[in-house]
Amino acid sequence: MQPINPAGAPSSVPSHLTPLLLIFPHTLHTLHCFRGVLVPPTSLAKMSTVTRAYLDQRLAAAKRCSREAAMAGAKAAAVAIVAAAVPTLASVRMLPWARAHLNPTGQALIISTVAGMAYFIVADKTILSMARKHSFKDAPDHLKNTSFN
């Protein structure tokens, strides 16, 4: 026998569903409450539950992916700094137009903009590729076939 709450419904039934049970009391023995919804007992066996270990595993994978993406972005930013600094600084020394129009603030702005763009583009592409890889790994077999044949 299930414990009864003050409204007269079993404690497994949320309070917002007790008016339904007052109208249809004969269905109480055939229905169970699952996440606030009354369902037949046969469908409970078909539903999967999410465990704490599964959520911890997914969180650890997300942290690992974001850390890897940040490192890839930082490496790309370092390469972009060198790739942007060399021509910018060389042009300021050799070209009269660049010498007249690019002060040190403008040079720093050019270099930092290129570095920031490289960081975010590479980090974003890394996160998307890892998410795609992990989503295909856990997908059912009929979804893994992405060919158009």
Side-chain angles (χ1 to χ4, degrees), residues 4-143:
I4 304 292
N5 66 13
S11 61
S12 65
V13 177
S15 60
H16 69 279
L17 294 176
T18 52
L20 291 176
L21 294 177
L22 296 176
I23 297 169
F24 304 106
H26 58 281
T27 61
L28 181 62
H29 67 282
T30 60
L31 298 176
H32 294 283
C33 183
F34 182 75
R35 294 186 183 167
V37 179
L38 293 176
V39 293
T42 56
S43 64
L44 284 177
K46 297 176 187 175
M47 293 183 182
S48 63
T49 58
V50 177
T51 63
R52 176 72 180 202
Y54 175 78
L55 292 176
D56 288 341
Q57 180 184 8
R58 298 293 291 205
L59 181 63
K63 286 181 180 179
R64 186 176 60 249
C65 291
S66 63
R67 188 176 305 121
E68 186 174 328
M71 288 302 295
K75 289 176 186 176
V79 171
I81 286 174
V82 174
V86 170
T88 302
L89 297 175
S91 66
V92 169
R93 302 232 186 255
M94 296 180 202
L95 299 174
W97 181 89
R99 185 178 303 129
H101 292 93
L102 292 178
N103 60 11
T105 304
Q107 297 168 28
L109 185 62
I110 291 170
I111 295 167
S112 64
T113 301
V114 170
M117 287 174 29
Y119 176 84
F120 285 110
I121 289 171
V122 170
D124 186 50
K125 288 179 74 71
T126 303
I127 288 173
L128 289 176
S129 69
M130 294 184 82
R132 188 177 300 115
K133 180 177 70 174
H134 290 304
S135 68
F136 277 127
K137 182 176 71 173
D138 295 335
D141 289 334
H142 70 279
L143 294 177

